Amino acid sequence: DALPIYLLLLTPLVGSTTTCFPECHCEVESFGLFDSFSLTNVDCSGVGPHIVPVTIPLDTWRLDLSSNRLSTINETMLSGRGYTTLVSLDLSYNQITKISSSTFSKLR
């Protein structure tokens, strides 16, 4: 009997949008009973190389920076308060030729 309650607590509810970095799209997924927990998906794909660094919400779990013609990735691009909860970072379809050794040092 307890299984359906656990599924209810862990199943994301319909996502809603929230204020986001210009040219990006943010979708909030709420979890748990009474929306007690939420995570934000930030989509900044296809915007262009001027997009970084991106200020992201504190509860961001996924950041999509794909298809932005990025050539260099460094620590300052991936730092800030929202980056501490980041679980997924999509840098695909860019033109990355240089990644500094400390780029990912502030990510968990």
Side-chain angles (χ1 to χ4, degrees):
D1 289 339
L3 184 59
I5 293 172
Y6 288 122
L7 289 176
L8 176 64
L9 293 174
L10 296 176
T11 303
L13 301 176
V14 176
S16 63
T17 58
T18 187
T19 304
C20 201
F21 193 77
E23 300 184 69
C24 298
H25 175 76
C26 289
E27 185 174 334
V28 178
E29 294 182 9
S30 297
F31 298 83
L33 201 55
F34 308 112
D35 298 339
S36 58
F37 181 69
S38 65
L39 294 172
T40 301
N41 177 17
V42 180
D43 183 356
C44 299
S45 61
V47 176
H50 67 280
I51 194 64
V52 289
V54 177
T55 303
I56 58 177
L58 286 176
D59 63 349
T60 300
W61 75 276
R62 182 176 188 274
L63 175 59
D64 186 349
L65 293 174
S66 64
S67 304
N68 280 309
R69 300 183 311 275
L70 301 174
S71 59
T72 302
I73 306 295
N74 60 45
E75 183 180 335
T76 60
M77 296 173 149
L78 303 176
S79 63
R81 296 177 0 174
Y83 287 87
T84 59
T85 57
L86 199 61
V87 173
S88 174
L89 174 63
D90 187 346
L91 293 169
S92 63
Y93 300 103
N94 280 293
Q95 300 165 351
I96 299 170
T97 57
K98 182 178 179 186
I99 299 177
S100 68
S101 60
S102 61
T103 296
F104 305 107
S105 65
K106 297 200 177 183
L107 302 179
R108 290 185 178 184

